[in-house]
Amino acid sequence: PVVFGAAELQGRRDNMEDTWTFAPDIAGQASWFAGVFDGHGGDEASKFMEKALPGKLRQALAAIDCSDDAAVQQVLTETFLAADKLLLADPSKIDSGSTGTTMLKLGNRLYSANVGDSRTVICRGVREASGSWAGEVSGVAVSRDHKPSDKEEKARIQRCGGMVSKGRLMGELGVARAFGDRTLKRSIREMLREE
């Protein structure tokens, strides 16, 4: 059995903009999908991803050989892009955005996929029967932050016709990648005169 927990802290915002999801048996037994979505500019994007991403991923995984690592990685990328496209196409969603970090377990393999600066960390240590941790506990980051100040991310942004000003994408957004953020993505397309 899988044991998991979640804790939330609203912070200084008027409303909670973050959410999480857990989908057991996403590709048969011994599989699960978990995600944490850090919303900004409202909670619409994070709530959309909480609901849409597991369903789209379940569908996509059913159509591939899940023992093929390259195919699983491709499905994760395509599912993230497809879910974002759905979010951007929904006129009822206001201009919110969300970062996200996810883990997919298939048998004895774990896949980490993220958008933005939400981070996945695997903790290692010894847990006693009482539930407390004994000995040295360490954490290993398994995701990479997508920040506009990162050299590779800045180069990618510039290749796409965007800019980084004061460490922020287009001078506004503190992450280099995100779900949603319709106005920002639209303004980049409009500036580049692309459909």
Side-chain angles (χ1 to χ4, degrees), residues 103-177:
M103 291 292 290
L104 171 65
K105 180 185 181 291
L106 299 173
N108 63 356
R109 297 180 334 269
L110 279 174
Y111 298 87
S112 173
N114 72 299
V115 170
D117 60 358
S118 291
R119 188 174 300 159
T120 298
V121 177
I122 294 179
C123 295
R124 299 173 189 232
V126 178
R127 191 168 183 167
E128 297 178 333
S130 66
S132 61
W133 291 90
E136 188 173 325
V137 177
S138 64
V140 179
V142 294
S143 61
R144 183 174 154 258
D145 290 358
H146 300 128
K147 300 290 275 180
S149 56
D150 177 81
K151 187 177 176 180
E152 289 176 35
E153 285 297 308
K154 184 175 182 178
R156 183 189 65 80
I157 290 165
Q158 291 170 335
R159 278 193 310 274
C160 293
M163 67 162 196
V164 175
S165 175
K166 297 181 182 176
R168 300 180 81 74
L169 174 64
M170 306 304 278
E172 294 182 35
L173 191 60
V175 293
R177 302 179 193 209

Side-chain angles (χ1 to χ4, degrees), residues 9-10 13-19 37-47 96-98:
L9 178 63
Q10 182 172 317
R13 304 271 183 213
D14 290 339
N15 300 304
M16 173 57 91
E17 297 178 335
D18 309 337
T19 189
F37 305 99
D38 182 0
H40 52 265
D43 64 359
E44 293 83 10
S46 60
K47 285 184 175 180
S96 66
S98 181

Side-chain angles (χ1 to χ4, degrees), residues 75-115:
V75 157
L76 284 165
T77 299
E78 290 173 0
T79 301
F80 274 43
L81 291 170
D84 185 51
K85 189 174 182 177
L86 274 176
L87 174 62
L88 293 172
D90 187 339
S92 70
K93 303 290 181 239
I94 65 170
D95 191 37
S96 66
S98 181
T99 65
T101 190
T102 66
M103 291 292 290
L104 171 65
K105 180 185 181 291
L106 299 173
N108 63 356
R109 297 180 334 269
L110 279 174
Y111 298 87
S112 173
N114 72 299
V115 170

